[in-house]
């Protein structure tokens, strides 16, 4: 078992990022055009990184499997982006945002990274306003803020319920400017299928053109992965159907460590599952918890329409259990509370699988027009899906898989343990510990892409000045391409009896039941065994239609589901190994008398980074000890 060096700079917490920037080697402007950089993924992290690197003068190739960067899943982020501007004058500061993030992540994040994120948050807002992102404004013209889970201040900047989309359009415009300038070459409808490693360094990727099926080799001085999270391992999640783990997983199989894979986030406000053949879930923004009150009937068998249930027969359980944070407790706490209510028989709706999110009080207090301004598009979306008008009837919500805190391990410079491979945004593990605070994903993606990577990558590139880009004719590229072709041919030749989706749905159900909102040792052992059996079955009985040298979505899906099987086994190994509860990882054996997560700081205050040791074999553990100098770990309380 190795100990990992996170390369955290010396000095006081507030000086670390300044020190790092000064100590990092630079690449002079006239030398930047000598370097080639590959960026995979065009969500907030990927687009902002590619645009910024292009603006600085590097040669960038950027890849996305969508038909346009505008389709990246970052557009689905609704509620907002955090920044410690203290515009509301309610006691916010860089240190408080840092503190809330460390505490919200249940003391399983690296202090230096989180403080840097809080520090940069202030610059992100200025950057985005300058790009023309239409943030909501108050009557006097100043930017508006709202509250989010896990905070007692209003620090979330927003653009109605479509903040992610507006921020992505800002990054996309910056990216298009560089494509026009010729510093960035864009490869849409192209999927990365392997990482090429030569002499222990990442030197390029193998990709497949999703329209023609052509396999291509691309070499560079550095590779940046910004490929999002792996929530779709659960089949049902709030992620876009295309979101997957393939790029990160193939890099993991080439030597990049995968950190804390069992830390997945369950979002408390999703529209409940309505039937067996549903293929994804829809998120209702956490911002709704600002004005919506969450409740269940006090009587388990109360079948009256919600509007006919009087106040005295309602249990506003979050307000009752957590008076100081009430409906704005962090996501993991709100999710588990909803699960407890439904499991105890208080669920609402046709399948008794939801709780109410009620806007009646807010509409009476503020008027319907104010609620419409704040959340209009979310209410319309809910009505389209659920067939109920939330202005008149409470929404029904239930937790669902949303975000993954785990990801490829990176050091302070966002470089993985594989030299030359950088990982940004949700694809890395770095900033959220065991639970992400709402409105922090957009903040991390843009901090990584606009501000951090463009600084730290120079330190890795500077020593390579005047070194040519590795040749795509090398044995490393040839072998990687052959392996990709071999897997494609293998998948197409099985011609079994079961669809890719049927395997994926079955895998997802196992993961949700045994490695979802709560886990226990017995269930995790069963899941590992069952997933391995199902993986074998997949490779003998999956039916992939069509051919390789053409558009073939069945083939795309099959490759991604094959990776999900292997990831799922690692997630269960990690969850079984972590004998404590923290954040989104709730082991039933480790809980306080009142059912809250019970950490074990003496034995598990570390990042678990796993090294791939072959399919079907246990991964090897590497630890990065977490040292808390500024925020002392305590039992989290939101009461």
């Amino acid at each position: 078992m190795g100990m990992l060096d996170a390369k955290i700079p010396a000095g006081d917490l507030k000086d670390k990022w300044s020190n790092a920037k000064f100590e990092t080697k630079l690449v002079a402007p006239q030398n930047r055009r000598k370097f080639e950089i590959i960026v995979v993924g065009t969500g907030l992290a990927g687009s902002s990184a590619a645009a910024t690197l292009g603006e600085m003068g590097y040669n960038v190739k950027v890849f996305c499997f969508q038909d346009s960067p505008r389709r990246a899943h970052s557009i689905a982020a609704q509620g907002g982006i955090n920044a410690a501007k203290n515009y509301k004058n309610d006691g916010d500061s860089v240190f408080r945002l840092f503190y809330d993030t460390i505490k919200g992540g249940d003391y399983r994040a690296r202090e230096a990274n989180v403080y840097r994120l809080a520090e940069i948050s202030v610059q992100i807002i200025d950057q985005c306003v300058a790009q023309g992102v239409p943030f909501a404004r108050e009557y006097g013209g100043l930017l508006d803020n709202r509250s989010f889970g896990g905070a007692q201040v209003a620090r979330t900047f927003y653009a109605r319920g479509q903040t992610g989309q507006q921020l992505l359009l800002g990054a996309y415009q910056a990216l298009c400017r560089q494509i026009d300038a010729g510093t960035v070459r864009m490869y849409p409808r192209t999927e990365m299928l392997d990482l090429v490693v030569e002499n222990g360094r990442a030197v390029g990727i193998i990709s497949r053109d999703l329209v023609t099926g052509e396999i291509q080799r691309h070499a560079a001085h550095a590779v940046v992965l910004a490929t999002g999270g792996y929530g779709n391992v659960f089949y049902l999640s709030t992620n876009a159907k295309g979101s997957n783990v393939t790029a990160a997983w193939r890099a993991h199989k080439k030597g990049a460590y995968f950190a804390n894979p069992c830390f997945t986030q369950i979002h408390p406000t999703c529209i409940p599952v309505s039937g067996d053949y549903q293929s994804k879930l829809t998120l209702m923004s956490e911002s709704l918890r600002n004005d919506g009150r969450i409740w269940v009937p006090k009587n388990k068998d109360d079948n009256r329409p919600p509007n006919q249930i009087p106040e005295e027969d309602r249990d506003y359980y979050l307000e009752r259990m957590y008076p100081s944070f009430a409906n704005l407790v962090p996501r993991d706490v709100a999710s588990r509370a909803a699960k407890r209510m439904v499991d105890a028989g208080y669920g609402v709706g046709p399948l008794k699988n939801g709780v109410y999110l009620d806007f009646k009080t807010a509409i009476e207090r503020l008027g319907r027009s104010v609620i419409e301004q704040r959340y209009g598009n979310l209410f319309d979306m809910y009505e389209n899906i659920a067939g109920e008008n939330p202005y008149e009837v409470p929404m029904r919500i239930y937790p669902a898989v949303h975000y993954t805190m785990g990801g490829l391990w990176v050091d302070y410079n966002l470089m993985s343990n594989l030299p030359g491979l950088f990982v940004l945004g949700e694809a890395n593990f770095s900033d959220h510990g065991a639970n992400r605070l709402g409105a922090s994903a957009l903040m991390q993606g843009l901090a990584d892409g606009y501000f951090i990577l463009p600084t730290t990558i120079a330190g890795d590139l500077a020593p390579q000045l005047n070194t040519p880009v590795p040749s795509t004719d090398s044995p490393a590229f040839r072998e990687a391409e052959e392996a990709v072709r071999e897997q494609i041919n293998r998948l197409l030749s099985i011609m079994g009896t079961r669809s890719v989706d049927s395997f994926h749905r079955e895998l997802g159900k196992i993961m949700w039941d045994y490695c979802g909102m709560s886990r226990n040792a017995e269930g995790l052992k069963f899941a590992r065994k069952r997933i391995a059996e199902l993986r074998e079955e997949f490779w003998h009985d999956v039916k992939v239609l069509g051919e390789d040298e053409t558009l073939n979505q069945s083939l795309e899906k099959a490759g991604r589901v094959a990776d999900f099987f292997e990831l799922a086994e690692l997630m269960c190994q990690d969850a079984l190994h972590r004998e404590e509860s923290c954040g989104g990882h709730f082991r039933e054996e480790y809980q306080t008398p009142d059912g809250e997560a019970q950490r074990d700081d003496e034995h598990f205050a570390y990042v678990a980074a796993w090294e791939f040791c072959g399919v079907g074999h246990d991964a090897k553990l590497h630890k990065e000890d977490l040292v808390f100098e500024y925020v002392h770990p305590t039992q989290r309380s939101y009461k």
Side-chain angles (χ1 to χ4, degrees):
M1 183 175 68
M3 294 303 283
L4 289 165
D5 176 13
K7 300 194 171 66
I8 297 168
D12 194 63
L13 190 63
K14 64 180 188 304
D15 301 324
K16 287 185 189 297
W17 179 227
S18 300
N19 292 347
K21 285 190 286 190
F22 183 71
E23 285 159 15
T24 298
K25 289 193 174 85
L26 299 177
V27 177
Q30 71 275 15
N31 284 330
R32 291 176 197 154
R33 55 182 169 270
K34 299 176 182 174
F35 289 104
E36 299 278 342
I37 301 171
I38 284 171
V39 178
V40 186
T42 59
L44 282 182
S47 283
S48 58
T52 308
L53 292 167
E55 182 80 46
M56 293 170 82
Y58 294 105
N59 295 304
V60 183
K61 284 183 177 181
V62 65
F63 298 79
C64 72
F65 62 66
Q66 297 92 344
D67 53 3
S68 159
R70 293 192 312 275
R71 309 280 300 181
H73 188 54
S74 299
I75 66 157
Q78 298 163 338
I81 176 168
N82 287 331
K85 286 275 199 188
N86 195 30
Y87 280 178
K88 292 285 187 186
N89 196 25
D90 55 1
D92 201 11
S93 64
V94 167
F95 194 87
R96 189 177 295 280
L97 176 51
F98 156 71
Y99 173 85
D100 286 347
T101 306
I102 289 280
K103 178 184 171 185
D106 218 352
Y107 307 97
R108 291 293 173 265
R110 190 191 285 154
E111 279 191 337
N113 283 59
V114 176
Y115 189 86
R116 173 175 65 184
L117 179 64
E119 201 179 336
I120 289 173
S121 71
V122 184
Q123 297 167 262
I124 295 171
I125 301 302
D126 299 342
Q127 167 94 2
C128 295
V129 169
Q131 287 176 335
V133 172
F135 285 121
R137 290 178 183 268
E138 294 176 329
Y139 176 73
L142 298 174
L143 296 186
D144 196 13
N145 290 116
R146 54 189 178 201
S147 299
F148 252 67
Q152 288 178 304
V153 295
R155 65 159 71 98
T156 305
F157 295 77
Y158 63 98
R160 290 185 74 182
Q162 45 182 283
T163 316
Q165 183 179 33
Q166 297 302 330
L167 290 168
L168 186 65
L169 288 171
Y172 173 66
Q173 289 168 22
L175 181 63
C176 287
R177 186 164 169 265
Q178 295 310 310
I179 294 169
D180 183 60
T183 60
V184 174
R185 281 182 66 192
M186 178 79 223
Y187 294 82
R189 294 179 177 171
T190 306
E191 181 169 32
M192 168 182 160
L193 290 181
D194 210 353
L195 179 74
V196 182
V197 179
E198 197 172 58
N199 302 322
R201 185 179 172 85
V203 293
I205 64 169
I206 305 294
S207 66
R208 178 175 180 268
D209 183 312
L210 296 180
V211 179
T212 65
E214 184 193 353
I215 305 292
Q216 298 166 334
R217 305 175 185 185
H218 298 275
H221 291 97
V223 177
V224 178
L225 297 187
T227 50
Y230 50 87
N232 276 345
V233 68
F234 291 91
Y235 187 70
L236 282 178
S237 84
T238 66
N239 292 189
K241 287 296 286 175
S243 299
N244 64 82
V245 77
T246 290
W249 191 254
R250 305 278 166 99
H252 172 57
K253 290 175 84 164
K254 283 291 178 79
Y257 298 160
F258 211 111
N260 298 340
C262 79
F263 287 169
T264 52
Q265 175 160 77
I266 314 292
H267 197 295
T269 49
C270 298
I271 299 177
V273 177
S274 58
D276 287 343
Y277 290 95
Q278 199 165 336
S279 62
K280 80 174 296 298
L281 295 172
T282 303
L283 177 70
M284 288 287 104
S285 167
E286 181 173 317
S287 61
L288 296 171
R289 294 201 274 150
N290 269 292
D291 290 309
R293 298 176 72 196
I294 295 169
W295 64 276
V296 292
K298 285 183 179 173
N299 178 354
K300 288 183 186 180
D301 303 312
D302 197 331
N303 292 319
R304 289 176 287 180
N307 290 356
Q308 290 174 24
I309 298 176
E311 287 291 315
E312 62 269 21
D313 291 343
R314 300 178 175 195
D315 178 10
Y316 293 95
Y317 59 88
L318 289 177
E319 297 172 27
R320 169 173 60 79
M321 292 157 68
Y322 307 102
S324 68
F325 280 73
N327 294 298
L328 285 169
V329 291
R331 290 177 176 179
D332 58 324
V333 178
S335 296
R336 275 197 297 279
K339 182 179 191 294
R340 285 207 292 273
M341 289 296 157
V342 170
D343 289 353
Y346 294 96
V348 303
L351 300 177
K352 299 276 189 198
N353 64 344
V355 298
Y356 289 128
L357 178 62
D358 195 337
F359 290 87
K360 180 170 165 282
T361 315
I363 289 170
E364 285 170 0
R365 189 178 80 248
L366 301 164
R368 176 170 165 158
S369 65
V370 172
I371 298 300
E372 233 167 88
Q373 280 174 344
R374 289 179 182 174
Y375 315 112
N377 61 317
L378 299 171
F379 277 45
D380 293 346
M381 189 164 42
Y382 181 86
E383 188 169 6
N384 285 336
I385 292 167
E388 294 168 353
N389 179 347
Y391 293 105
E392 291 160 15
V393 183
M395 288 183 180
R396 286 176 294 110
I397 56 163
Y398 191 68
V401 171
H402 179 56
Y403 185 91
T404 48
M405 282 79 63
L408 294 181
W409 183 87
V410 290
D411 63 18
Y412 186 79
N413 300 319
L414 304 185
M415 187 159 79
S416 72
N417 60 294
L418 265 185
L421 178 68
F422 292 81
V423 192
L424 313 188
E426 193 179 356
N428 76 30
F429 88 100
S430 71
D431 291 13
H432 307 296
N435 171 62
R436 179 175 69 75
L437 290 182
S440 287
L442 305 182
M443 176 172 68
Q444 186 210 344
L446 293 181
D448 287 358
Y450 282 135
F451 295 100
I452 301 171
L453 176 87
T455 301
T456 61
I457 199 168
D460 179 62
L461 294 175
Q464 298 183 68
L465 185 61
N466 297 323
T467 308
V469 172
S471 164
T472 53
D473 294 329
S474 70
F477 273 93
R478 195 168 57 247
E479 285 161 25
E481 183 184 328
E482 280 167 13
V484 164
R485 288 186 186 280
E486 194 180 309
Q487 184 183 37
I488 289 171
N489 294 336
R490 187 180 168 197
L491 286 167
L492 288 167
S493 67
I494 298 166
M495 291 312 288
T497 62
R498 284 185 63 179
S499 70
V500 174
D501 273 348
S502 75
F503 276 109
H504 192 183
R505 187 182 272 113
E506 190 175 342
L507 170 67
K509 181 150 175 44
I510 295 166
M511 288 300 287
W512 178 248
D513 289 348
Y514 300 105
C515 194
M517 279 178 77
S518 62
R519 305 102 191 252
N520 60 53
E522 191 186 344
L524 288 163
K525 285 172 185 164
F526 168 80
R528 286 188 78 184
K529 183 169 167 291
R530 182 68 198 108
I531 292 163
E533 292 165 1
L534 197 61
R535 173 171 49 74
E536 285 299 309
E537 214 178 305
F538 172 87
W539 284 106
H540 288 103
D541 196 27
V542 74
K543 183 168 194 165
V544 181
L545 302 168
E547 298 159 357
D548 61 340
E549 290 184 2
T550 178
L551 176 71
N552 186 343
Q553 291 189 309
S554 180
L555 176 63
E556 290 168 37
K557 261 191 219 171
R560 294 168 191 172
V561 172
D563 292 333
F564 278 140
F565 272 113
E566 295 170 15
L567 166 70
E569 290 177 85
L570 181 63
M571 287 170 73
C572 292
Q573 182 184 343
D574 187 40
L576 195 56
H577 153 84
R578 191 167 280 279
E579 294 177 346
E580 63 165 355
S581 288
C582 56
H585 167 66
F586 191 75
R587 278 285 294 271
E588 290 163 12
E589 303 94 325
Y590 309 101
Q591 51 182 302
T592 63
D594 54 356
E596 303 293 349
Q598 190 159 36
R599 293 192 322 273
D600 179 352
D601 292 331
E602 192 184 339
H603 299 107
F604 290 97
Y606 60 76
V607 177
W610 299 93
E611 180 183 352
F612 183 74
C613 294
V615 178
H617 296 278
D618 279 1
K620 181 182 173 191
L621 176 66
H622 298 264
K623 292 182 180 179
E624 180 205 328
D625 284 330
L626 294 169
V627 180
F628 294 95
E629 293 179 68
Y630 298 89
V631 181
H632 187 64
T634 54
Q635 173 65 39
R636 276 200 306 168
S637 172
Y638 292 94
K639 292 184 173 171

